[in-house]
Each structure stands twice: as structure tokens, then as C-alpha cells.
Amino acid sequence: MARPGPRDFLSSVSSAYEFGPRVSYRAAEGVFLGQGGSFERSELDSLEESLAADYSASEDIAAGYVMGGIESGPWSAVGGVRVERTEAEYSAFDLVFDDGDLVPEDVTLRKGSNDYTNYLPSLHVQFLARE
């Protein structure tokens, strides 16, 4: 059965680790709310920040490995090849600016993909000298 962990989980390790100074959420909230007139909210800047951070990336990788070995007298060799097939898809917003300001009507979602296969061969040769 899954359940939330203890709220004071750091108290048992706090003597071993110093986390340094932390900002109190309530104090920061009080400063923000008390200084409300000093802050300027820009819908365009908020949209720009949101769109710039909004992207998607997915990657699927399938891999396999084949190897074989041979021995002949003092020589031995092991060789193989690993094959990796990667299929990736990406999407992000293309932002257009005019004089440093975002132009919302020109924002477009760009999508792309990249599929490729890597062949990774290997060979290990050993010579055992007899005394």
C-alpha cells in the first residue's frame, strides 16, 4: 500500500547535512502581497515565458547485441555488434518578436522527428604468452 512519506523526513539527517539558509514561503508571500503596487504584470511577457518553456520531446530506443568468440592456440578473440534504433519526436513553439516584443498572432507550433540507427561494433583480441 502506498502512502505519503513523513513530513519531517529531513529532521533525521539535518544534523549530518547543512542545507543553508532558506526563504520562508510566508515571508516571501507577505513581501509580494505588501508590495503589490511595485510589481507590474505583463500578459505578453507571461505568455512569452510560458510558450518558451512549453515543449515536448519523446524518444524510443530499441537495441540488441550479438557476439561470438573464438580461441586458437594462445590467441582468443571476442567480437560483436550492438544495434540501436532511435525514433524521436519533438514539438515547440516558434516565437516571433517585433522590436523585442512577442507577436502572439505569429506564434506557430513546430514539430519534428529524427529516426536513425547506430551500429556499434566491438572486437577484443587477447594473446596469452606461455612461459
Side-chain angles (χ1 to χ4, degrees):
M1 176 170 82
R3 61 177 182 231
R7 291 183 180 269
D8 62 344
F9 72 97
L10 290 177
S11 64
S12 63
V13 295
S14 63
S15 61
Y17 300 100
E18 290 296 325
F19 291 103
R22 294 177 290 278
V23 175
S24 162
Y25 172 78
R26 297 286 181 223
E29 182 182 46
V31 169
F32 182 76
L33 294 176
Q35 302 288 326
S38 301
F39 294 100
E40 176 187 328
R41 184 169 194 272
S42 167
E43 293 290 333
L44 202 54
D45 288 345
S46 294
L47 178 62
E48 176 187 332
E49 292 294 324
S50 177
L51 290 174
D54 192 8
Y55 64 92
S56 172
S58 68
E59 189 175 69
D60 293 321
I61 301 173
Y65 185 77
V66 176
M67 86 174 204
I70 188 169
E71 291 184 22
S72 178
W75 292 92
S76 69
V78 176
V81 63
R82 178 179 175 85
V83 179
E84 292 184 354
R85 174 71 182 157
T86 303
E87 297 176 357
E89 294 183 358
Y90 313 96
S91 67
F93 288 99
D94 188 6
L95 307 181
V96 177
F97 295 90
D98 181 21
D99 228 8
D101 293 325
L102 178 68
V103 181
E105 51 275 357
D106 290 341
V107 172
T108 49
L109 180 64
R110 302 283 185 197
K111 295 183 178 186
S113 63
N114 192 11
D115 301 337
Y116 54 92
T117 303
N118 287 327
Y119 298 92
L120 309 164
S122 66
L123 178 63
H124 175 82
V125 178
Q126 183 178 17
F127 177 77
L128 295 173
R130 294 202 166 59
E131 294 182 24

